[in-house]
Amino acid sequence: MCGIVGYVGTKKASPILINGLKRLEYRGYDSAGISTIEKDGISLMKDMGRVKNLENISGINDLEGTIGIAHTRWATHGKPSKENSHPHMDNSKKFSVVHNGIIENYESLREDLKSKGYTFYSDTDTENIPNLIHYYYTKYENEKGIERFLKSVRSACLDLKGSFAIEVICSDFPDNMIVVRKDSPLVIGKAEGENYLSSDIPAILSFTRTFYLLDDYEFAILSKDDVKFYDKDLNPVNKEVKSIEWDAVGADKNGYEDYMLKEIYEQATSTRETVGTRFQGPKTAFEELDFTKEYLSSLTRIYIVACGTAMHAGLAGKTVIEKLSKIPTEVDVASEFRYRDPLVDEKTLCIFLTQSGETADTIAALKLSKEKGAKTLAISNVIGSSITREADLSIYTHAGPEIAVASTKAYTSQVVLMNVLAIYMSEVLENNDQKYLDSLKEEILELPEKVEETLKISESLKDFARQVYQEKDVFYLGRGVDHAIATEGCLKLKEISYIHSESYAGGELKHGTIALIEKGITVIGVLTDKNLVKKSISNLQEVITRGAKTLIITNQKDLDTKAFDVVVTIPESNTFISPVLAVIPLQLFAYYVAKEKGLDVDKPRNLAKSVTVE
Ligand code: G6P
């Protein structure tokens, strides 16, 4: 995801900015750029690709400016290109801006600005911001000094819908920078005679260990010796400076002990980024796809093909895709699919789910489907990854880089994106009531808050993990989509705690597994599908009778839960998106168990993040 760096001081800004961008490289990006204030105005240098390309731009070493902004871009609106990379300037070249986040109302803002005579050179949502600031700057021409700049930034921000962390410089104020954030991280590092900015502490940790953390809609004016803070109404705010004790390695994890924990806690943001602006209009926006009613109506089958966690996301996605499109949908393990001569032809749509976009079996399965005449759609988290270059169509989860081997936020983003895709397909097919589809959209838009709530509730599982961590076997049960969720939870435990675990469809219990249940065995039940809850409870009763210890994850508020040892009640949701919420306690449970065992959760033995060989 995008990264931001900024500097105001007495040293040359450009090497500091470039160093900061390098420290943010792990976040993943496709282009980079910087703007500094020089004697003759604002300089702008940017390029596609690595920070190295930016460093090689001729003249970059001649920049003398001691104030500047910098950015690494992870494309959301508009493909990776030099034009779309940040910083972006207004038409008059007075303002330069970098931005993280998504401006949801960018289309209407752009139209409005166009009607006022502004022109645009990029496809980004960000380019609106410098022009909006300029627009207000001309309106506030009677204001004196930095007030005029601050008021203009504020008015522009109040027009923005969505998430943003913004740095702005203005050629009229060569000693200042204004910054603001909403739902996107931004920290200010305070040092002697200089101030730094970054979206992540690691980028500037080598310069300072004292930071100001900005709250939503807080504005800051930075100069080399000072930082002034203002609230949304521009009342001055006194801000406490925080000292950070992290070492460089710990800070890379943004204060979390492990990348996995960080990524689990990022799921409110990542699922929000996955939806982005797709639900902004009356119909779901998927300009990357060329599906017509005729094409979708001609389909006899959809295959979802993937490996590991992505395959489990496919199991969860199957429900919503099949129910809304009314097209038979099957989920296949890529390594099986590629060798079983599947029934695929031009009437088949093949969807390939892969976080990395580099998994060898998934790529091979895609090539096979193409040869057999199917249309292929890749769903990946990495822009420009191998699978997206092979597929007929590609869409991205925009979950941000996932570093821990055990996948967490990529899974939830894949489930969310398949929900969005299913709604889009149904709208193209015109086969469901639009009011019903709109209500599903509403629920998806409410997900980030529910994710936050679920994260808090799930922390209670630490105690249960202490009871379980020395066990040899753990069983997971569920029916329907709850079985898919249980299967992903079971994989998480296996991957990072090395405890043998199995996931069963509740009804299968009697056909063998129940022979393994004895006193003290842990059984985890997932109960979110209200039509199946009673059936699953009967299965859980069968294991309780045989002495099992039970944990249930449920969103059913009026359930009689007396019989269970531990109950985690998560927020209510429809069954299409319940995997996003119900998997969170299971992820955290696996994490806590592995930590109790003292294991390296980020790099479990024998496993790789990206499996590029068969
Ligand atoms: C490896 C990883 C898993 C991942 C699977 C598929 O096994 O350890 O976390 O789910 O590959 O990866 P993909 O990048 O295709 O989603």
Side-chain angles (χ1 to χ4, degrees):
M1 274 201 282
C2 309
I4 281 183
V5 185
Y7 175 74
V8 195
T10 49
K11 300 182 193 122
K12 267 175 77 155
S14 58
I16 295 170
L17 296 172
I18 286 172
N19 179 311
L21 290 182
K22 283 185 179 163
R23 302 273 335 207
L24 288 176
E25 281 191 304
Y26 77 92
R27 292 168 70 94
Y29 66 101
D30 49 59
S31 45
I34 65 170
S35 258
T36 55
I37 305 187
E38 301 296 313
K39 288 205 177 67
D40 53 353
I42 292 181
S43 79
L44 176 67
M45 296 200 180
K46 52 188 188 177
D47 205 354
M48 248 182 87
R50 316 304 296 170
V51 175
K52 267 229 137 322
N53 300 358
L54 174 68
E55 247 181 322
N56 291 337
I57 294 178
S58 100
I60 201 155
N61 295 325
D62 304 331
L63 294 174
E64 295 290 338
T66 57
I67 172 168
I69 57 178
H71 191 263
T72 46
R73 175 172 188 256
W74 169 282
T76 55
H77 293 81
K79 61 181 193 312
S81 71
K82 187 175 169 185
E83 288 69 39
N84 289 336
S85 57
H86 299 211
H88 286 286
M89 294 184 80
D90 70 305
N91 289 177
S92 75
K93 308 259 182 285
K94 194 184 275 295
F95 299 96
S96 189
V97 168
V98 298
H99 159 232
N100 278 2
I102 292 179
I103 305 304
E104 288 164 10
N105 56 337
Y106 79 101
E107 273 170 336
S108 58
L109 288 174
R110 184 182 276 240
E111 286 317 308
D112 196 38
L113 284 163
K114 275 186 183 166
S115 73
K116 294 182 168 105
Y118 289 88
T119 56
F120 289 84
Y121 55 83
S122 79
D123 302 321
T124 64
D125 50 346
T126 303
E127 201 189 341
N128 284 301
I129 303 171
N131 286 313
L132 256 183
I133 296 172
H134 175 268
Y135 167 72
Y136 284 110
Y137 197 71
T138 49
K139 278 189 80 173
Y140 295 133
E141 63 181 340
N142 294 329
E143 296 285 340
K144 297 262 174 320
I146 193 101
E147 279 277 293
R148 181 179 177 196
F149 183 15
L150 180 62
K151 278 194 164 178
S152 309
V153 174
R154 176 193 179 252
S155 297
C157 286
L158 295 185
D159 286 351
L160 305 178
K161 291 207 169 69
S163 57
F164 49 84
I166 298 169
E167 290 178 330
V168 196
I169 49 175
C170 171
S171 54
D172 287 349
F173 300 94
D175 301 324
N176 297 106
M177 174 189 303
I178 295 186
V179 303
V180 56
R181 58 151 273 178
K182 186 198 160 248
D183 294 333
S184 195
L186 194 63
V187 295
I188 299 171
K190 181 181 168 330
E192 210 37 53
E194 51 189 7
N195 285 301
Y196 297 83
L197 263 135
S198 179
S199 39
D200 251 5
I201 287 173
I204 49 175
L205 195 70
S206 49
F207 304 113
T208 180
R209 290 197 171 211
T210 40
F211 294 91
Y212 294 109
L213 304 176
L214 272 184
D215 291 329
D216 277 357
Y217 280 115
E218 264 179 357
F219 297 84
I221 303 179
L222 285 81
S223 62
K224 65 181 169 47
D225 298 312
D226 195 20
V227 190
K228 289 195 166 67
F229 296 94
Y230 302 87
D231 68 11
K232 200 173 179 179
D233 300 320
L234 298 190
N235 301 310
V237 172
N238 275 330
K239 247 192 139 52
E240 212 182 298
V241 69
K242 302 229 186 282
S243 292
I244 310 258
E245 298 304 325
W246 301 333
D247 58 21
V249 176
D252 273 350
K253 293 165 189 155
N254 225 351
Y256 288 96
E257 247 177 271
D258 315 272
Y259 282 112
M260 183 178 174
L261 191 62
K262 174 173 176 265
E263 288 156 9
I264 289 173
Y265 276 89
E266 277 172 348
Q267 290 176 107
T269 306
S270 52
T271 48
R272 187 183 287 120
E273 298 270 342
T274 300
V275 181
T277 54
R278 297 201 187 272
F279 289 154
Q280 210 177 275
K283 291 280 155 85
T284 308
F286 260 118
E287 56 278 358
E288 308 94 314
L289 304 181
D290 59 1
F291 295 164
T292 59
K293 188 172 181 179
E294 292 63 42
Y295 168 69
L296 291 179
S297 309
S298 75
L299 293 175
T300 54
R301 196 189 311 238
I302 296 173
Y303 279 114
I304 302 175
V305 183
C307 299
T309 290
M311 195 277 287
H312 295 160
L315 291 172
K318 165 194 155 88
T319 318
V320 65
I321 289 181
E322 191 167 69
K323 283 258 156 55
L324 295 191
S325 71
K326 304 182 176 53
I327 303 167
T329 303
E330 288 178 35
V331 182
D332 247 280
V333 172
S335 53
E336 293 291 316
F337 181 86
R338 63 186 287 194
Y339 294 119
R340 71 169 177 79
D341 194 14
L343 292 173
V344 172
D345 57 22
E346 60 287 345
K347 291 186 173 161
T348 318
L349 169 66
C350 293
I351 302 176
F352 298 87
L353 276 182
T354 163
Q355 186 282 131
S356 62
E358 305 295 341
T359 303
D361 282 322
T362 312
I363 295 173
L366 181 140
K367 287 183 179 160
L368 175 80
S369 310
K370 248 174 126 172
E371 273 165 32
K372 285 174 171 277
K375 196 186 266 285
T376 56
L377 165 62
I379 301 185
S380 174
N381 195 35
V382 182
I383 292 177
S385 55
S386 301
I387 203 155
T388 63
R389 293 197 293 271
E390 293 283 344
D392 296 317
L393 302 164
S394 298
I395 53 177
Y396 293 99
T397 38
H398 295 300
E402 195 182 62
I403 294 167
V405 166
S407 182
T408 52
K409 63 175 181 170
Y411 169 88
T412 43
S413 282
Q414 284 163 347
V415 175
V416 168
L417 193 55
M418 280 185 289
N419 268 269
V420 180
L421 176 68
I423 294 170
Y424 159 79
M425 285 166 63
S426 177
E427 283 173 350
V428 174
L429 281 162
E430 297 176 304
N431 64 349
N432 279 294
D433 179 27
Q434 188 63 42
K435 277 207 187 96
Y436 169 58
L437 297 177
D438 289 343
S439 71
L440 296 178
K441 291 183 193 178
E442 276 304 310
E443 280 218 51
I444 293 172
L445 291 169
E446 285 163 8
L447 256 180
E449 281 88 64
K450 291 186 178 178
V451 167
E452 294 282 9
E453 204 182 325
T454 309
L455 283 163
K456 285 197 192 106
I457 295 164
S458 307
E459 284 165 8
S460 63
L461 281 170
K462 233 179 224 165
D463 284 344
F464 190 63
R466 273 186 215 116
Q467 293 172 38
V468 173
Y469 81 101
Q470 284 172 319
E471 289 179 14
K472 295 262 177 304
D473 309 282
V474 173
F475 294 91
Y476 288 73
L477 284 184
R479 284 171 178 253
V481 79
D482 289 335
H483 179 226
I485 302 166
T487 306
E488 172 54 13
C490 170
L491 178 65
K492 287 285 93 61
L493 188 73
K494 221 179 267 180
E495 282 178 310
I496 60 168
S497 79
Y498 315 147
I499 294 177
H500 166 248
S501 53
E502 302 277 346
S503 162
Y504 288 92
E508 277 293 285
L509 191 69
K510 286 196 195 69
H511 301 288
T513 317
I514 201 154
L516 300 173
I517 304 297
E518 54 187 11
K519 193 167 174 2
I521 286 273
T522 298
V523 179
I524 300 177
V526 182
L527 311 175
T528 72
D529 183 341
K530 69 171 182 305
N531 297 321
L532 296 169
V533 158
K534 286 216 172 87
K535 300 277 173 205
S536 293
I537 289 187
S538 305
N539 298 134
L540 286 161
Q541 288 294 356
E542 288 158 4
V543 301
I544 290 170
T545 311
R546 285 158 183 86
K549 184 160 77 254
T550 50
L551 157 69
I552 63 158
I553 313 295
T554 185
N555 60 7
Q556 306 292 302
K557 301 278 182 260
D558 44 10
L559 214 61
D560 180 2
T561 56
K562 282 194 292 296
F564 309 113
D565 295 292
V566 180
V567 178
V568 175
T569 308
I570 58 171
E572 275 171 307
S573 66
N574 68 52
T575 47
F576 297 150
I577 53 169
S578 63
V580 175
L581 299 172
V583 82
I584 290 171
L586 301 177
Q587 293 170 341
L588 273 174
F589 171 69
Y591 174 84
Y592 294 143
V593 170
K595 289 303 274 189
E596 276 304 318
K597 292 183 83 168
L599 298 171
D600 180 347
V601 291
D602 284 340
K603 293 191 218 76
R605 71 182 180 207
N606 306 340
L607 301 178
K609 183 73 190 153
S610 175
V611 182
T612 52
V613 290
E614 194 177 352

